[in-house]
Amino acid sequence: MDEERIIVRSAIPADIVFADEIIHEMESSAIARGSGISKRSAASLIEKIDNGKAVVAVTEDGEWAGFSYIETWDDGKFVSNSGLIVSPKHRNQGVASEIKTQIFELSRSKYPKAMVFSITTGAAIMKMNTRLGFEPVTYADITREPGFWDGCKSCVNYDVLQSKSRSNCLCTAMLFDPSKN
């Protein structure tokens, strides 16, 4: 059977219909992997879509296949690449890599002087980040803004983060510094 063609593009207002499906898949995938994830609300994803801060993958038939978004921190000094998720039906087809590339390009075009960061426990994301020029860093090298770290409260590993005074956790922090590239 031929694989469906998947289109990865900037999200548009009509894509808000996928918000509930996306947040459900984010949570269920984290549970299945036994890893932590910062829970998002449908409203927060809709806000990202409406503000031009999201990338979505859809099939030619309009089925949701993947998603990611960006957020700025410290008055635009930092941009986080967050929430990368691919529908189980469309995994292992290069969708995550294409989304990661486009969300990184969106970060760089909207905030060219900002440092772009990502935190993850996933080796695949670390490899994608490395290909884009990210380097592993300590948590002290990324945003210290409480709002970012408050997003970790719903993660199963939040107690680890708190016990380490937000200096490290099970996630690896990775940073792209435009002044070095």
Side-chain angles (χ1 to χ4, degrees):
M1 185 167 105
D2 292 331
E3 288 182 1
E4 271 183 293
R5 182 166 173 263
I6 297 174
I7 301 145
V8 179
R9 58 170 171 72
S10 292
I12 58 174
D15 294 326
I16 65 172
V17 299
F18 302 127
D20 286 329
E21 188 175 0
I22 292 166
I23 60 168
H24 171 75
E25 187 54 45
M26 285 177 170
E27 184 173 9
S28 62
S29 290
I31 291 168
R33 289 188 316 265
S35 64
I37 191 164
S38 175
K39 290 183 185 176
R40 284 91 173 168
S41 67
S44 70
L45 296 189
I46 289 167
E47 178 186 344
K48 302 297 182 272
I49 291 168
D50 285 344
N51 291 327
K53 294 182 173 184
V55 168
V56 68
V58 294
T59 66
E60 287 181 306
D61 295 333
E63 177 184 341
W64 170 76
F67 182 81
S68 188
Y69 68 89
I70 63 175
E71 185 60 72
T72 57
W73 305 99
D74 295 313
D75 297 317
K77 180 180 177 184
F78 292 98
V79 177
S80 60
N81 287 186
S82 301
L84 177 60
I85 188 73
V86 174
S87 164
K89 179 179 176 182
H90 300 289
R91 291 181 183 158
N92 302 311
Q93 298 175 25
V95 176
S97 184
E98 183 60 29
I99 292 170
K100 185 67 180 169
T101 298
Q102 285 198 29
I103 204 68
F104 176 72
E105 290 171 358
L106 179 65
S107 300
R108 299 287 296 124
S109 67
K110 286 181 94 64
Y111 307 98
K113 295 182 180 183
M115 291 184 277
V116 183
F117 74 95
S118 172
I119 63 171
T120 186
T121 57
I125 299 295
M126 288 181 220
K127 287 176 186 176
M128 286 183 247
N129 284 344
T130 299
R131 281 194 297 269
L132 292 169
F134 288 72
E135 294 181 353
V137 296
T138 68
Y139 283 20
D141 294 322
I142 62 175
T143 187
R144 302 306 302 149
E145 192 168 321
F148 174 79
W149 299 102
D150 286 348
C152 296
K153 286 180 179 176
S154 60
C155 176
V156 298
N157 299 314
Y158 186 68
D159 60 332
V160 175
L161 179 67
Q162 286 301 96
S163 72
K164 304 288 187 173
S165 301
R166 295 182 176 170
S167 64
N168 62 14
C169 194
L170 301 181
C171 285
T172 297
M174 298 188 79
L175 182 72
F176 174 87
D177 185 343
S179 70
K180 295 180 181 178
N181 292 290

